[in-house]
C-alpha cells in the first residue's frame, strides 16, 4: 500500500485504475487456493478498507463506516447536503481463491472516475459518494450481499448475528473485532434516503464483451438466485473397522445429491445449479463422516422454476439418503429474485455511452439488491478470459481505464443538471 499524506483534491494527477489496484495487489493473496481470499472483516479485507480510507482522504472525501459496516466516502453537495446523492462503488471482499477484480475494480474505478471529474472541474452541484459493501460474496458467513441486504432490511439482524464462519467466529464477534457495534445492524432509512441513484461498475463475469469486441457494457438484468444448505446426517465410524454393508455414510449420499443437482438443472433450460462447497464433519481421511454440509446455489429467471428445482433436489436427496440409511434437512440461506434494472436509467447510460452494448448477467451484485429501493444501474468492464470467481479472472489496463472513463461520463451526466431541452 502507498502511505502518502492526503492532499487537496485538485493538486493531484488523476490516478489510473491500474495504479490504484497495484497498491493492493498483494493484499489477501491465498497461496493455498491460488488467487485471493479477502473475507469480510478478516485481515485482508480490513487492509483494503484502510486503503479505501486512505484513497478517500487523499481526495479530501469524508469517510464514514455506517451501522451495517458499509464504507462511504462523501463529497457533500452545496451547503454540505448528502441528500439525493450520486453513489458509485462496489465491494472489497472476495470468494475463497477468487480473482483480483471482482469488487475492487468497481471501487478503484470509482476513485479514478472521481479524479477525472475533478480534472474536468465538474460535478459539485450534487453530493457524490463512493461506497464499499461488506460480505457481498457471502464468502465468510454464507449470505450473499449481506451488507446491502441489511441496509435494505432484507436480512434480519437478529437472524444473522449468530452466523458462524469456517472457524466458528460469529458475525457479531467479527463485527466487534473490526470495531463495529453489532447492536446497530439493520435497515438504514437514512442511508437509503440519501442515495438518489446508484451505479456499480464491475468486471464482466462472462464473455459477452469479448464476443462483441467492446470494452464496456451497460447491464440490463441479474438472474434470480438463491442459496440453500442441505445437512446430510449418518453415522460417524471407523474407516477400517466398519464393513461396507454396515455403513450409514453421509458422504456417499451427498455425492449422489451432487449428481442429482447437475442432472435436474440440466433438464431445465436457463437453470444453473452448483454445489461448490461440501463439508464432511469431522473430516478425517480414516473417519466415516457423521454429517456432511452441502451448499447449493440455484439460479433461474423464473422464481417458480427455481422453487420447483430446489423442491426436486430435496425430494431426490430424501430418496438417496433413505437408501444410504441417512437423513437430510434443507435450509434456505438467501434468495434474490430476477432483477431488471431501471429502464429509464439504463437508457440514460446508453445515451451517454452509445457504443456500449446492453448485457444481462448471471452474477449477483449489491446493485441488484439496491435496485428494488433506489434507481440503480451497472457497467461491466471486459474480462478477456471470460472467467470469474477464479484466479483466471482478468482485466487489461486499457479496458480498466476505458471503464473508469465511461463511469466518469455517466457520473458527470448524473451530477450536472441538464439544460432544459
Ligand atoms: C456473486 O458474484 C455471485 O453471483 O454469487
Ligand atoms: Mn462482485
Ligand atoms: Mn463475485
Amino acid at each position: 500500500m502507498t502511505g502518502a499524506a492526503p492532499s487537496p483534491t485538485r493538486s493531484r494527477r488523476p490516478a489510473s485504475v491500474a495504479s490504484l489496484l497495484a497498491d493492493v495487489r498483494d493484499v489477501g493473496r491465498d497461496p493455498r487456493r491460488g488467487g485471493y481470499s479477502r473475507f469480510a472483516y478478516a485481515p485482508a479485507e480490513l487492509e483494503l478498507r484502510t486503503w479505501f480510507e486512505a484513497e478517500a482522504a487523499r481526495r479530501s472525501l469524508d469517510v464514514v463506516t455506517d451501522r451495517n459496516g458499509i464504507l462511504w466516502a462523501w463529497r457533500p453537495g452545496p451547503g454540505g447536503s448528502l441528500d439525493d446523492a450520486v453513489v458509485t462503488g462496489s465491494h472489497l471482499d472476495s470468494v475463497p481463491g477468487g480473482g483480483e477484480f471482482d469488487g475492487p475494480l468497481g471501487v478503484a474505478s470509482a476513485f479514478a472516475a472521481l479524479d477525472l471529474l475533478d480534472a474536468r472541474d465538474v460535478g459539485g452541484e450534487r453530493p457524490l459518494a463512493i461506497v464499499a459493501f461488506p460480505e457481498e460474496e457471502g464468502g465468510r458467513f454464507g449470505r450473499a450481499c449481506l451488507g446491502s441486504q441489511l441496509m435494505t432490511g432484507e436480512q434480519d439482524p437478529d437472524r444473522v448475528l449468530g452466523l458462524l464462519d469456517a472457524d466458528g467466529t460469529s458475525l457479531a464477534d467479527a463485527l466487534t473485532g473490526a470495531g463495529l457495534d453489532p447492536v446497530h445492524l439493520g435497515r438504514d432509512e437514512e442511508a437509503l434516503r440519501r442515495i438518489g441513484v446508484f451505479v456499480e461498475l464491475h468486471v464482466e463475469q462472462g464473455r459477452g464483451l469479448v464476443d462483441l469486441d467492446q470494452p464496456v457494457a451497460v447491464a440490463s438484468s441479474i438472474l434470480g438466485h438463491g442459496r440453500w444448505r442441505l445437512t446430510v446426517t449418518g453415522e460417524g465410524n471407523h474407516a477400517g473397522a466398519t464393513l461396507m454393508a454396515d455403513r450409514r455414510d453421509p458422504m456417499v449420499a451427498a455425492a449422489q445429491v451432487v449428481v442429482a443437482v447437475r442432472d435436474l438443472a440440466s433438464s431445465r433450460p436457463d437453470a444453473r445449479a452448483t454445489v461448490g462447497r461440501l463439508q464432511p464433519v469431522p473430516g478425517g481421511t480414516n473417519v466415516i463422516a457423521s454429517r456432511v454440509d452441502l451448499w447449493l446455489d440455484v439460479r433461474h429467471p423464473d422464481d417458480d422454476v427455481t422453487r420447483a428445482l430446489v423442491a426436486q433436489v430435496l425430494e431426490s436427496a430424501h430418496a438417496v439418503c433413505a437408501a444410504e440409511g441417512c437423513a437430510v434437512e434443507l435450509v434456505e440461506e438467501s434468495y434474490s429474485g430476477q432483477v431488471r434494472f431501471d429502464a429509464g436509467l439504463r437508457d440514460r447510460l446508453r445515451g451517454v455511452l452509445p457504443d456500449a452494448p446492453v448485457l444481462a448477467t448471471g452474477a449477483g451484485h449489491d446493485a441488484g439488491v439496491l435496485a428494488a429501493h433506489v434507481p440503480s444501474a451497472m457497467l461491466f468492464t471486459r474480462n478477456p478470459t471470460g472467467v470469474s470467481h477464479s484466479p483466471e479472472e482478468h482485466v487489461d489496463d486499457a479496458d480498466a481505464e476505458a471503464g473508469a472513463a465511461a463511469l466518469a461520463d455517466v457520473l458527470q451526466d448524473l451530477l450536472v443538471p441538464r439544460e432544459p431541452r
Side-chain angles (χ1 to χ4, degrees):
M1 285 185 51
T2 53
S7 60
T9 313
R10 285 184 218 294
S11 65
R12 292 167 304 95
R13 291 176 52 213
S16 66
V17 178
S19 69
L20 285 157
L21 289 177
D23 286 344
V24 289
R25 182 145 298 139
D26 289 330
V27 177
R29 278 192 193 274
D30 188 331
R32 193 167 61 83
R33 300 182 178 101
Y36 294 86
S37 294
R38 296 160 160 172
F39 298 125
Y41 306 117
E45 200 243 15
L46 293 176
E47 197 173 338
L48 291 179
R49 285 170 167 262
T50 303
W51 164 79
F52 178 105
E53 289 170 359
E55 291 302 330
R58 219 183 291 287
R59 292 163 177 80
S60 305
L61 305 176
D62 304 327
V63 177
V64 179
T65 305
D66 74 14
R67 41 190 284 205
N68 291 305
I70 301 166
L71 265 177
W72 300 82
W74 282 97
R75 185 175 77 177
S81 167
L82 303 182
D83 288 340
D84 195 28
V86 174
V87 180
T88 185
S90 189
H91 61 99
L92 298 172
D93 64 302
S94 78
V95 295
E100 177 184 354
F101 301 93
D102 180 351
L105 179 72
V107 176
S109 299
F111 283 118
L114 175 59
D115 289 355
L116 293 172
L117 294 177
D118 280 343
R120 297 174 194 172
D121 206 9
V122 295
E125 297 87 342
R126 195 174 172 186
L128 171 75
I130 297 176
V131 65
F133 291 100
E135 186 73 335
E136 190 269 353
E137 302 286 6
R140 183 166 182 190
F141 294 104
R143 301 282 167 94
C145 296
L146 184 60
S148 54
Q149 288 211 342
L150 281 164
M151 178 173 84
T152 59
E154 261 120 22
Q155 290 282 352
D156 176 351
D158 294 333
R159 296 188 62 184
V160 300
L161 280 169
L163 291 172
L164 301 178
D165 71 6
D167 297 325
T169 303
S170 68
L171 174 62
D173 286 345
L175 289 166
T176 307
L180 297 163
D181 190 342
V183 302
H184 300 307
L185 239 52
R187 184 173 162 93
D188 190 339
E189 299 292 351
E190 187 181 37
L192 282 168
R193 202 188 55 244
R194 285 178 174 167
I195 306 174
V197 58
F198 179 56
V199 182
E200 178 173 2
L201 178 146
H202 203 279
V203 60
E204 199 206 349
Q205 297 171 291
R207 295 189 51 82
L209 283 167
V210 176
D211 293 344
L212 294 166
D213 197 21
Q214 287 287 333
V216 179
V218 175
S220 55
S221 61
I222 295 179
L223 198 58
H225 57 285
R227 295 180 182 193
W228 292 262
R229 182 163 42 88
L230 288 110
T231 304
V232 183
T233 44
E235 182 180 58
N237 212 331
H238 193 286
T242 316
L243 295 178
M244 299 311 284
D246 292 343
R247 297 179 180 213
R248 296 197 290 120
D249 185 344
M251 194 56 130
V252 173
Q256 294 173 68
V257 174
V258 173
V259 175
V261 166
R262 193 273 311 269
D263 292 347
L264 289 165
S266 301
S267 69
R268 292 178 183 269
D270 297 329
R272 295 154 202 201
T274 308
V275 179
R277 190 171 157 206
L278 188 80
Q279 199 166 352
V281 178
T285 305
N286 54 352
V287 181
I288 299 167
S290 56
R291 187 181 97 216
V292 173
D293 295 327
L294 182 152
W295 280 264
L296 172 67
D297 178 310
V298 179
R299 308 187 187 215
H300 192 278
D302 184 336
D303 289 357
D304 292 342
V305 174
T306 302
R307 300 273 173 214
L309 180 51
V310 173
Q312 273 188 311
V313 168
L314 183 59
E315 193 184 333
S316 165
H318 276 302
V320 299
C321 287
E324 297 295 336
C326 297
V328 62
E329 279 177 21
L330 176 134
V331 173
E332 182 170 307
E333 294 281 337
S334 58
Y335 190 76
S336 307
Q338 175 91 354
V339 171
R340 280 189 187 76
F341 286 111
D342 184 289
L345 181 60
R346 185 199 61 214
D347 289 347
R348 186 163 175 177
L349 267 60
R350 290 185 70 193
V352 176
L353 308 170
D355 294 334
V358 177
L359 293 178
T361 179
H365 299 285
D366 294 304
V369 175
L370 264 58
H373 304 268
V374 295
S376 300
M378 290 191 76
L379 295 177
F380 296 128
T381 301
R382 174 164 52 193
N383 170 2
T385 69
V387 174
S388 189
H389 285 185
S390 153
E392 300 306 313
E393 177 187 276
H394 187 68
V395 174
D396 288 334
D397 288 355
D399 285 351
E401 304 322 320
L407 180 62
D409 291 347
V410 164
L411 297 177
Q412 179 170 342
D413 185 66
L414 296 167
L415 285 163
V416 178
R418 292 175 163 199
E419 300 292 327
R421 296 190 181 189

